[in-house]
Amino acid sequence: MHTDLHVRRARPTDSARLRELHEEAMRDVGAFVEGAPDEDLADVETAYLECGGEFLVGEFEGRIVAMGAFRPADGYVTDFLPDLEATAAEVTRMRVDPAHQRRGYGRTILDELERRARERGVTELVLDTTPVQAGAIALYESRGYALVHRERATDFGETLEMLFYRKGL
């Protein structure tokens, strides 16, 4: 873990910065979808913590520059990966401020999410990303995630290619 990145659990007071970081990082790679839901970022406690998940942030010099979360796999991810066990969790909201990328912050957050997921009995992690998120793809593949499904989806007026990854813990 990088000594210059302080990793902690997200707090309710972080919600404005979480939304800002999400938009900055997604716009930077051309993956931001206007109107896509982000209510989970306004209420991390309900969306992640109360259901047995986790939401972590990484701070550099007192500012949140990285984030990531997991929660029990549910919703659309289970539609595309219907054979998931009840002990599977979805990794989501992995973002690093564009000005702080390529410093290992995403890897630090992901590794800590995996550690905490294992502690809670999660046996498999799944996630989705898009082909334009090359940095995310490289991170996931370098950490042992395998591409298992591709899907074209139209949502919010845009057609996206979604890439689904899995990793056993």
Side-chain angles (χ1 to χ4, degrees), residues 57-85:
V57 299
E59 293 178 321
F60 176 75
E61 297 180 348
R63 179 170 172 78
I64 295 173
V65 297
M67 66 185 197
F70 73 82
R71 60 183 168 195
D74 196 14
Y76 74 91
V77 73
T78 60
D79 294 339
F80 297 121
L81 303 174
D83 62 332
L84 294 176
E85 300 290 329

Side-chain angles (χ1 to χ4, degrees), residues 3 12 30 42-43 62 66 95 102 115 117 148 154:
T3 57
D43 189 1
R95 308 285 183 263
R102 304 200 52 81
R115 187 186 71 74
V148 295
T154 302

Side-chain angles (χ1 to χ4, degrees), residues 1-2 7 56 94 104-118 125 139 142-143 145 167 169:
M1 187 176 298
H2 292 270
V7 177
L56 300 176
M94 287 290 300
Y105 294 168
R107 182 178 60 246
T108 298
I109 295 289
L110 185 59
D111 288 351
E112 183 62 14
L113 287 171
E114 289 181 5
R115 187 186 71 74
R116 292 182 187 207
R118 265 189 223 93
L125 290 172
L139 169 65
S142 76
R143 304 316 279 170
Y145 288 79
K167 178 181 180 178
L169 296 180

